[in-house]
Amino acid sequence: MKRFIIAIILLSVTLASSIGFHIITNKKINEFILLMEKDRIITVADTASDKSRTQAISEMWGKHEVYLGCVLTHHELENLETGLMCLENYMLQGNTEEYIKTLNECLNQLYHIRGTEKVDIKNIF
């Protein structure tokens, strides 16, 4: 009977932590997407990137990089990280077209990550 109770407790802890990690990961990705979408809308409207918005994106990446690197696979974050490094360079160079293009690529990568993290039958099999 003790083994059965211990097994139930371990299963409960595993399920609770899995659900918790899933919720936290989605929250962080959604925050990142919202910030980048806001920057994209403003950059397209103004036809110029802004240093403060680019720094906000970099700071948010700095906050979430370790967690996302631990939870997600490396190949999912590789293109995103490269694109985020390029954003600052494009902003400093005043290359708005490349900035928006890279921002869109980063957003598409985040949408893909969010889609693959969704609890769905097609992601399981």
Side-chain angles (χ1 to χ4, degrees):
M1 189 64 174
K2 284 183 181 180
R3 289 182 183 172
F4 182 71
I5 293 172
I6 290 172
I8 296 295
I9 290 171
L10 288 175
L11 179 64
S12 299
V13 168
T14 302
L15 286 174
S17 62
S18 295
I19 292 169
F21 282 126
H22 178 73
I23 290 169
I24 291 169
T25 303
N26 279 336
K27 181 181 175 198
K28 290 180 183 287
I29 290 172
N30 287 335
E31 287 175 5
F32 211 50
I33 287 173
L34 288 173
L35 181 66
M36 292 180 81
E37 284 178 340
K38 179 182 171 187
D39 182 38
R40 179 178 61 185
I41 290 168
I42 295 171
T43 303
V44 168
D46 294 346
T47 63
S49 55
D50 182 51
K51 185 175 182 176
S52 64
R53 291 192 312 265
T54 307
Q55 284 179 340
I57 291 170
S58 295
E59 288 172 7
M60 184 172 281
W61 174 248
K63 289 179 191 175
H64 300 322
E65 179 181 14
V66 173
Y67 176 80
L68 293 175
C70 290
V71 175
L72 302 173
T73 59
H74 177 71
H75 76 276
E76 291 178 325
L77 297 176
E78 193 172 275
N79 293 335
L80 179 64
E81 190 171 13
T82 303
L84 292 172
M85 288 181 201
C86 292
L87 282 180
E88 278 194 56
N89 293 332
Y90 294 142
M91 185 270 307
L92 291 172
Q93 296 168 3
N95 194 344
T96 307
E97 289 180 20
E98 285 297 319
Y99 183 90
I100 293 170
K101 179 182 173 190
T102 304
L103 198 59
N104 285 332
E105 290 170 357
C106 290
L107 279 166
N108 288 336
Q109 185 68 29
L110 285 169
Y111 293 140
H112 174 72
I113 291 170
R114 184 172 65 183
T116 58
E117 289 301 306
K118 185 186 271 186
V119 179
D120 195 4
I121 293 293
K122 68 180 180 180
N123 289 335
I124 295 172
F125 296 109

